[in-house]
Amino acid sequence: MTRYIGRRLLQMVPVFLGATLLIYAMVFALPGDPVAALGGERGLPAAVQEQIRQEYNLDKPFLVQYLLFLRGIFTLDLGVTFSGRDVLDVVAEALPVTARLAVMALVFEAVLGIGIGLVAGMRRGGLFDSTVLVISVLVIAVPTFVIGFVLQFVVGVRLGWLPVTVGNDPTFVSLLMPAVVLGAVSLAYVLRLTRTSVSETLTADFVRTARAKGLRRGRVVNVHVLRNSLIPVITFLGADLGSFMGGAIVTEGIFNINGVGGTLFRAIIQGENVTVVSLTTVLVIVYILANLLVDLLYAALDPRIRYG
């Protein structure tokens, strides 16, 4: 297992380098001059613009800028924003908030999605299964911002059960509604994926053999059906964690959350390219680690899988 993890980490090095290089190239290929935009309509004197470009290494060739950025990642020195804040402080401030929101959304979609999908798969073709399918399609069809505004109005304003916005002091209670909104669409996908996987596993030969041996229904479902059905679901959940981290811009905007999504949006608008690249690099690392965790969970779910 240790050798396998080591090999996987080595394989992820070129993935990390390629992804960061691509992101760096795309961000810095955006039209417009962020230095010139700092002066607004009046603009900055040419000497001041040149000084800023030298300070932020914007006068150097692209490859040199990228290598300096990589050095900053490994030395934890990402530079400063145009407003004078340390980029590492900006990342450290935004990341924990979005991480908490993403984990809460992941738990919400995993628990409900797998639970309801398991029951629907066991009762395929019944009233419960049909109702679940209709509701899941409805959730997928409705945009995230519509779900957010509806829950905000009904649960927050009308009923007063949860805070309407989060603000600068995110608590577990204040993040509940944003987590539900963020995980709602993915919940529908997890539900449908679990339902399909369970219904297919029920027809497998090893399940029929287990039933023929007289094993209890609960053991057949938990050991033989659920564990084998969860492999594609775990793959989806692992990728979804990274999607939550980077795709929370709409949700964080609706609920006024100062996380990665809002910080990324403001950085793009203000031309803070170093901040944009730094935050997206963190998201790349989250994707890589999530995929590694998924690979390790395969062995726990299916003992037939061995890493040698």
Side-chain angles (χ1 to χ4, degrees):
M1 180 66 72
T2 304
R3 292 175 59 187
Y4 171 78
I5 295 175
R7 288 200 304 269
R8 288 290 291 165
L9 291 175
L10 287 177
Q11 292 171 2
M12 290 175 180
V13 171
V15 175
F16 172 78
L17 294 177
T20 53
L21 178 61
L22 181 61
I23 293 170
Y24 200 89
M26 293 176 62
V27 170
F28 280 83
L30 293 175
D33 187 352
V35 176
L38 290 176
E41 296 181 357
R42 299 181 59 182
L44 294 175
V48 175
Q49 292 188 30
E50 184 63 25
Q51 181 181 356
I52 294 175
R53 288 191 178 92
Q54 292 178 2
E55 181 180 353
Y56 288 91
N57 298 316
L58 299 178
D59 59 333
K60 294 180 173 58
F62 166 76
L63 186 58
V64 175
Q65 293 185 45
Y66 175 68
L67 292 177
L68 291 173
F69 171 73
L70 284 182
R71 185 186 68 179
I73 291 178
F74 293 112
T75 59
L76 297 180
D77 182 14
L78 301 177
V80 296
T81 65
F82 289 142
S83 61
R85 289 194 63 191
D86 195 314
V87 175
L88 193 61
D89 291 340
V90 175
V91 174
E93 181 180 307
L95 187 61
V97 179
T98 302
R100 290 171 59 189
L101 177 63
V103 170
M104 290 175 64
L106 190 70
V107 172
F108 166 71
E109 71 164 292
V111 173
L112 286 185
I114 293 175
I116 298 175
L118 174 63
V119 176
M122 298 290 293
R123 302 179 180 179
R124 185 169 184 174
L127 178 61
F128 180 82
D129 179 39
S130 302
T131 304
V132 165
L133 287 179
V134 171
I135 295 176
S136 65
V137 172
L138 180 63
V139 172
I140 294 173
V142 177
T144 302
F145 67 89
V146 174
I147 298 176
F149 284 130
V150 170
L151 284 182
Q152 199 174 44
F153 178 75
V154 175
V155 179
V157 177
R158 286 288 188 180
L159 301 177
W161 290 349
L162 295 172
V164 178
T165 59
V166 176
N168 295 322
D169 186 23
T171 61
F172 176 79
V173 175
S174 63
L175 289 175
L176 274 177
M177 189 158 42
V180 171
V181 173
L182 184 60
V185 175
S186 295
L187 166 65
Y189 285 114
V190 171
L191 188 156
R192 296 174 68 88
L193 184 60
T194 304
R195 169 194 173 273
T196 303
S197 184
V198 166
S199 60
E200 291 179 353
T201 306
L202 285 172
T203 62
D205 292 337
F206 62 87
V207 174
R208 288 197 293 266
T209 302
R211 288 174 172 172
K213 289 181 177 180
L215 294 180
R216 291 182 293 106
R217 177 182 173 85
R219 180 170 177 80
V220 173
V221 172
N222 294 330
V223 176
H224 297 282
V225 176
L226 185 58
R227 290 181 62 175
N228 288 278
S229 301
L230 283 183
I231 292 179
V233 180
I234 291 297
T235 304
F236 179 85
L237 291 175
D240 219 25
L241 178 60
S243 301
F244 283 158
M245 294 290 293
I249 295 179
V250 175
T251 304
E252 291 184 357
I254 294 174
F255 293 95
N256 190 29
I257 302 174
N258 296 320
V260 171
T263 304
L264 266 176
F265 181 76
R266 290 190 297 270
I268 294 172
I269 296 298
Q270 297 169 3
E272 296 277 3
N273 293 338
V274 176
T275 305
V276 174
V277 176
S278 299
L279 284 172
T280 49
T281 299
V282 172
L283 299 182
V284 170
I285 295 174
V286 171
Y287 268 111
I288 291 175
L289 295 179
N291 286 327
L292 177 61
L293 180 61
V294 166
D295 288 345
L296 297 178
L297 286 176
Y298 284 163
L301 291 173
D302 191 346
R304 295 171 298 177
I305 299 177
R306 291 291 181 266
Y307 299 117

